[in-house]
């Protein structure tokens, strides 16, 4: 079981909404919409993806990492390193 399992439907719903936003962006470009309007919508889609990723990260820390720490040993070290790397990727994006 993954940390996000309890909220899986919420995540899927949000990702479907983001997918719709991206399709809307494609239509905006096809329709030659104003640049700033397109950029505004790109910003909204980016924030939505960031929100989903932060929720998934939070669930990962609360479930997977805390469970690994309870177990101890190299599994805990690996999960902490994995989470740190994920956080670094999110900060860079």
């Amino acid at each position: 079981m993954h940390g996000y399992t309890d909220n899986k439907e919420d995540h899927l719903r949000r990702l479907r909404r983001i997918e719709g936003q991206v399709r809307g962006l494609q239509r905006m470009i096809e329709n030659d919409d104003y640049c700033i309007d397109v950029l505004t919508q790109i910003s909204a889609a980016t924030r939505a993806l960031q929100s989903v990723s932060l929720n998934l990260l939070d669930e990962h820390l609360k479930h997977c990492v805390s469970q690994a720490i309870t177990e101890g040993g190299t599994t805990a070290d690996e999960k902490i390193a994995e989470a740190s790397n994920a956080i670094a990727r999110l900060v860079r994006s």
Side-chain angles (χ1 to χ4, degrees):
M1 185 164 125
H2 299 288
Y4 61 82
T5 301
D6 291 340
N7 297 315
K8 184 176 180 176
E9 289 306 315
D10 289 336
H11 294 310
L12 288 171
R13 188 173 25 265
R14 294 181 83 187
L15 288 169
R16 286 185 199 104
R17 189 176 312 129
I18 294 166
E19 181 182 20
Q21 285 180 290
V22 172
R23 281 194 306 273
L25 284 164
Q26 292 170 335
R27 281 190 300 277
M28 291 177 81
I29 296 293
E30 288 170 354
N31 295 334
D32 294 321
D33 285 6
Y34 185 56
C35 305
I36 297 301
D37 294 339
V38 175
L39 290 169
T40 299
Q41 291 307 310
I42 289 172
S43 178
T46 300
R47 283 192 311 272
L49 278 171
Q50 288 170 339
S51 177
V52 170
S53 65
L54 289 173
N55 286 332
L56 286 170
L57 178 61
D58 183 58
E59 291 167 345
H60 178 69
L61 292 171
K62 288 177 181 175
H63 179 266
C64 302
V65 175
S66 67
Q67 183 178 11
I69 289 171
T70 300
E71 292 173 11
T74 58
T75 303
D77 294 337
E78 291 169 2
K79 288 292 181 185
I80 291 170
E82 183 181 66
S84 293
N85 291 333
I87 292 167
R89 284 191 303 273
L90 287 173
V91 170
R92 283 193 299 265
S93 62

